[in-house]
């Protein structure tokens, strides 16, 4: 017998395997002595009411073997002597594009400017401890891309872009836990994702593909309207059936190279702001409706998350203000990609057991903000980002007199009330903080709506606006400020053939899963168009 069941239970039942098994047996009227196999299919926490509930879908097998949980198998053809295609970037878009090329019988040549995950850890330590930013290998550049060391959240709303289940199954096949197939908001964690990424690499290499780390693309080989290949920093010319460009949202030199070569690119809307950091215990209290004297959230509930959005009006202009990439039980990390910049991002380990909670709080940038940068054409947003990040670096570094990764910060109630904070709170941000007026760091067009938005968020979540929380700047890499256009059907660039702009950097994804799905689609289109030559 195979039976499905949907039920709503207390957290103590949902997260205790024994109690959950007993409850399912009771509801489907199967005695535990018959040794049924009970397997969760979907699970989500509902904290909207005063009592937290967990919605669970499960399946029960009695007297028969359970069906396999994942259909995906690591069985790849040997493509070592097959026609090759170039993949620029080893983030989720690039790695999944490469793996899909292997499945389709094409040899991927992956070029990654940063280091592999093991060596990359040293570059991250240098940023955190010594304030030294390696512009080629950092929190954004390197094997696995920005997601590897900045959280590993797998939730996406991009259901129409591809097969989400397939992406999750590939991750499970490469070492992720099966929990990601069940949780409504799946998360691998920064402590576990590097191993998954390394296993993806081994699948590509084991099938005969190539991955070149610490290798930078410095030019594109364009002949008669077709992209034949790329030139690397050490002078090599690598050619193939086509080029999938999956560099991520921070590869500014690539955007500048495309512009110099008159390859069509466009400005894309984006947002920027700050990271806000609370004690996780406060967020748990607010989201789980705990009494103020509660000892904690209990033994079963995970660290609470939140999502906030509002509209503000400042000087007659309406702007959206919203939370972004919320990291319960997480850390704030330095995400600059060049010396003299200050950028922050958030991450969470798999257990989400830090005492801090952080989230991006960002404001939409509009066309009027970019008027002073019109001379940069489609790179206007990029220049706007740079100016804010460089100012943040100067403001954070004033105490030392030299550029550093010390971040400007301000307590939340002080920011809303227009006061410079006399002191700052303990923080998860390792390079340290410096108290400033964030209105001196952020443009007024960002800071003023942010202040209005925070006041509204304080009404939505009573206790959210407090001087026991602080703003840390700047959160400026929410998405690419550039879009590389492509045909909606072929996914090729509309002017340069054999060129497949892909993932977050090209403006077509917004996270690990959506980038991975986009990488697969680009690989499929390239193979369909040119793979049989």
């Amino acid at each position: 017998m195979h039976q499905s069941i949907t039920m709503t239970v207390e957290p103590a039942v949902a997260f205790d395997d024994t109690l959950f098994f007993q409850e399912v047996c009771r509801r489907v009227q199967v005695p535990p002595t018959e040794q049924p196999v009970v397997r969760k299919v979907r699970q989500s926490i509902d904290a909207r009411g005063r009592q937290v509930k967990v919605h669970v879908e499960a399946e029960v097998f009695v007297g028969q073997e359970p069906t396999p949980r994942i259909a995906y198998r690591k069985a790849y053809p040997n493509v070592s002597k097959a026609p090759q295609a170039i993949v620029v970037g080893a983030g989720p878009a690039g790695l999944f594009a490469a793996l899909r090329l292997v499945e389709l019988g094409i040899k991927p040549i992956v070029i990654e400017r940063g280091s592999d995950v093991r060596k990359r850890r040293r570059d991250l330590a240098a940023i955190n401890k010594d304030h030294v930013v390696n512009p080629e290998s950092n929190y954004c550049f390197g094997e696995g891309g920005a997601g590897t060391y900045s959280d590993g959240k797998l939730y996406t709303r991009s259901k129409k872009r591809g097969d989400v289940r397939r992406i999750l199954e590939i991750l499970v096949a490469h070492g992720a836990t099966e929990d990601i197939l069940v949780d409504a908001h799946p998360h691998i964690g920064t402590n576990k994702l590097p191993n998954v990424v390394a296993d993806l690499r081994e699948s590509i290499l084991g099938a005969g593909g190539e991955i070149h780390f610490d290798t930078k693309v410095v030019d594109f080989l364009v002949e008669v309207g077709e992209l034949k290949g790329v030139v690397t920093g050490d002078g090599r010319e690598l050619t193939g059936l086509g080029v999938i460009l999956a560099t991520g949202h921070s590869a500014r030199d690539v955007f500048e190279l495309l512009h110099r070569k008159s390859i069509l690119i466009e400005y894309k809307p984006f947002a920027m702001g700050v990271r806000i950091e609370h004690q996780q215990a406060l967020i748990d209290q607010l989201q789980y409706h705990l009494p103020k004297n509660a000892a904690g959230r209990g033994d079963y509930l995970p660290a609470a998350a939140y999502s906030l959005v509002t509209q503000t009006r400042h000087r007659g202009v309406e702007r959206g203000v919203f939370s972004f990439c919320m990291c319960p039980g997480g850390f704030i990390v330095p995400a600059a990609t060049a010396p003299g910049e200050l950028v922050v991002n958030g991450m969470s380990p798999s257990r989400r057991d830090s005492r801090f909670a952080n989230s991006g709080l960002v404001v939409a940038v509009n066309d009027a903000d970019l008027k002073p940068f019109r001379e940069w054409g489609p790179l206007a947003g990029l220049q706007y980002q740079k100016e804010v990040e460089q100012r943040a670096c100067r403001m954070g570094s004033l105490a030392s007199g030299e550029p550093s990764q010390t971040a400007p910060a301000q307590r939340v109630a002080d920011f809303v009330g227009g006061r410079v904070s006399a002191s700052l709170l303990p923080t998860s941000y390792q390079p340290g903080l410096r108290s400033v007026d964030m209105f001196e760091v952020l443009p007024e067009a960002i800071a003023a709506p942010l202040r209005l938005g925070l006041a509204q968020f304080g009404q939505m979540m009573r206790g959210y606006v407090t001087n026991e929380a602080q703003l840390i700047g700047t959160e400026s890499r929410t998405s690419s400020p550039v879009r590389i256009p492509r045909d909606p059907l072929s996914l090729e660039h509309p002017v340069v053939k054999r060129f497949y702009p892909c993932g977050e950097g090209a403006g077509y994804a917004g996270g690990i899963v959506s980038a991975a799905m986009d990488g697969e689609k680009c690989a499929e289109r390239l193979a369909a168009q040119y793979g049989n030559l």
Side-chain angles (χ1 to χ4, degrees):
M1 181 191 79
H2 173 215
Q3 183 175 342
S4 297
I5 181 174
T6 300
M7 55 195 220
T8 300
V9 295
E10 301 291 331
V13 174
F15 297 111
D16 184 296
D17 291 342
T18 300
L19 293 179
F20 183 75
F21 175 80
Q22 293 171 349
E23 180 64 16
V24 171
C25 288
R26 185 185 70 81
R27 296 201 184 197
V28 299
Q29 298 181 334
V30 173
T33 54
E34 292 192 25
Q35 297 183 324
V37 175
V38 176
R39 191 165 69 190
K40 290 180 180 178
V41 176
R42 190 74 169 166
Q43 178 173 276
S44 62
I45 296 172
D46 186 349
R48 291 172 294 181
R50 300 303 301 177
Q51 296 298 318
V52 178
K53 302 290 185 182
V54 183
H55 304 303
V56 186
E57 299 173 31
E59 52 187 355
V60 185
F61 299 88
V62 183
Q64 68 180 76
E65 285 294 315
T67 56
R69 169 153 269 177
I70 68 171
Y72 189 86
R73 293 292 179 266
K74 295 166 66 174
Y76 308 112
N78 187 318
V79 295
S80 57
K81 299 186 183 304
Q84 65 188 36
I86 309 302
V87 179
V88 184
L95 289 175
F96 275 78
L99 199 60
R100 189 69 180 123
L101 287 172
V102 167
E103 292 176 338
L104 295 169
I106 296 173
K107 178 181 179 178
I109 309 295
V110 183
I111 304 168
E112 170 55 52
R113 69 193 300 164
S115 301
D116 63 63
V117 286
R118 182 184 296 272
K119 183 180 175 184
R120 193 176 170 194
R121 288 191 180 98
R122 297 197 292 269
D123 299 317
L124 305 188
I127 301 174
N128 282 301
K129 297 176 181 178
D130 304 322
H131 301 243
V132 175
V133 179
N134 179 343
E136 308 303 340
S137 186
N138 44 62
Y139 275 96
C140 291
F141 300 151
E143 185 179 19
T148 301
Y149 290 105
S150 53
D151 203 56
K153 284 188 286 292
L154 302 177
Y155 177 65
T156 180
R157 295 185 177 89
S158 304
K159 303 296 191 294
K160 295 181 180 179
R161 296 186 183 182
D163 188 345
V164 174
R165 175 76 183 198
R166 172 182 157 84
I167 300 302
L168 297 181
E169 287 195 7
I170 292 173
L171 291 169
V172 170
H174 288 85
T177 68
E178 291 188 357
D179 291 345
I180 67 173
L181 303 174
V182 175
D183 293 337
H185 290 79
H187 172 253
I188 294 181
T190 50
N191 55 320
K192 293 185 176 181
L193 192 52
N195 291 333
V196 175
V197 167
D199 204 46
L200 286 165
R201 177 220 307 160
E202 292 308 312
S203 286
I204 295 167
L205 295 177
E210 296 180 15
I211 301 180
H212 302 271
F213 293 113
D214 302 305
T215 303
K216 186 175 180 178
V217 169
V218 297
D219 203 0
F220 296 109
L221 299 172
V222 182
E223 296 179 10
V224 197
E226 291 190 337
L227 185 51
K228 298 294 187 179
V230 300
V231 180
T232 62
D234 56 7
R236 286 178 293 164
E237 293 187 0
L238 301 174
T239 60
L241 299 174
V243 176
I244 296 174
L245 187 69
T247 57
H249 58 43
S250 292
R252 290 170 168 170
D253 57 330
V254 173
F255 302 144
E256 292 164 350
L257 172 61
L258 290 168
H259 191 48
R260 285 198 309 273
K261 294 185 75 71
S262 300
I263 297 175
L264 180 65
I265 60 175
E266 303 168 342
Y267 160 74
K268 184 183 75 62
F270 65 105
M272 67 162 50
V274 295
R275 280 265 146 190
I276 185 169
E277 185 171 63
H278 292 82
Q279 290 289 315
Q280 181 63 50
L282 175 61
I283 301 302
D284 291 341
Q285 177 192 320
L286 297 178
Q287 292 298 84
Y288 291 144
H289 317 292
L290 304 175
K292 290 187 176 181
N293 59 352
R297 61 180 178 268
D299 296 330
Y300 300 104
L301 288 172
Y306 62 83
S307 177
L308 297 168
V309 61
T310 191
Q311 286 292 123
T312 64
R313 189 174 185 84
H314 174 67
R315 298 188 186 278
V317 178
E318 289 192 1
R319 291 180 192 258
V321 181
F322 55 95
S323 61
F324 173 84
C325 184
M326 197 272 152
C327 299
F331 304 88
I332 298 177
V333 298
T337 53
E341 301 170 351
L342 198 295
V343 184
V344 296
N345 199 352
M347 57 165 274
S348 295
S350 58
R351 295 179 63 183
R352 290 180 161 172
D353 53 0
S354 162
R355 63 190 177 101
F356 298 102
N358 73 78
S359 177
L361 282 186
V362 295
V363 179
V365 175
N366 67 27
D367 291 344
D369 301 330
L370 304 181
K371 284 184 178 179
F373 303 91
R374 279 180 176 170
E375 65 181 285
W376 296 94
L379 301 178
L382 187 154
Q383 293 301 129
Y384 183 82
Q385 276 183 334
K386 277 187 181 181
E387 183 176 284
V388 175
E389 293 166 5
Q390 290 168 358
R391 182 163 61 247
C393 185
R394 291 194 298 271
M395 294 295 295
S397 304
L398 282 178
S400 65
E402 297 182 1
S404 75
Q405 290 299 297
T406 303
Q410 189 172 10
R411 296 197 189 207
V412 175
D414 285 343
F415 174 76
V416 173
R419 301 178 296 273
V420 176
S421 300
S423 64
L424 296 173
L425 302 164
T427 180
S428 65
Y429 182 74
Q430 290 187 30
L433 306 177
R434 178 175 181 269
S435 178
V436 304
D437 180 353
M438 293 302 289
F439 264 79
E440 294 184 21
V441 177
L442 299 170
E444 182 188 356
I446 301 297
L450 183 61
R451 175 179 285 172
L452 295 171
L454 271 165
Q456 294 178 36
F457 293 155
Q459 297 295 317
M460 298 175 190
M461 288 178 65
R462 299 284 183 176
Y464 185 80
V465 173
T466 170
N467 262 355
E468 294 306 305
Q470 55 197 359
L471 305 180
I472 299 171
T474 57
E475 170 68 85
S476 49
R477 307 285 179 93
T478 57
S479 67
S480 175
V482 170
R483 177 176 284 111
I484 308 173
R486 67 189 189 188
D487 181 271
L489 295 179
S490 71
L491 304 188
E492 279 184 298
H493 190 272
V495 179
V496 180
K497 300 303 178 186
R498 300 179 184 268
F499 176 27
Y500 292 84
C502 181
E504 283 201 48
Y508 299 102
I512 291 173
V513 172
S514 60
M517 290 191 295
D518 200 55
E520 289 208 323
K521 286 199 309 180
C522 286
E524 290 163 359
R525 299 299 195 279
L526 186 156
Q529 183 69 14
Y530 302 109
N532 295 323
L533 294 180

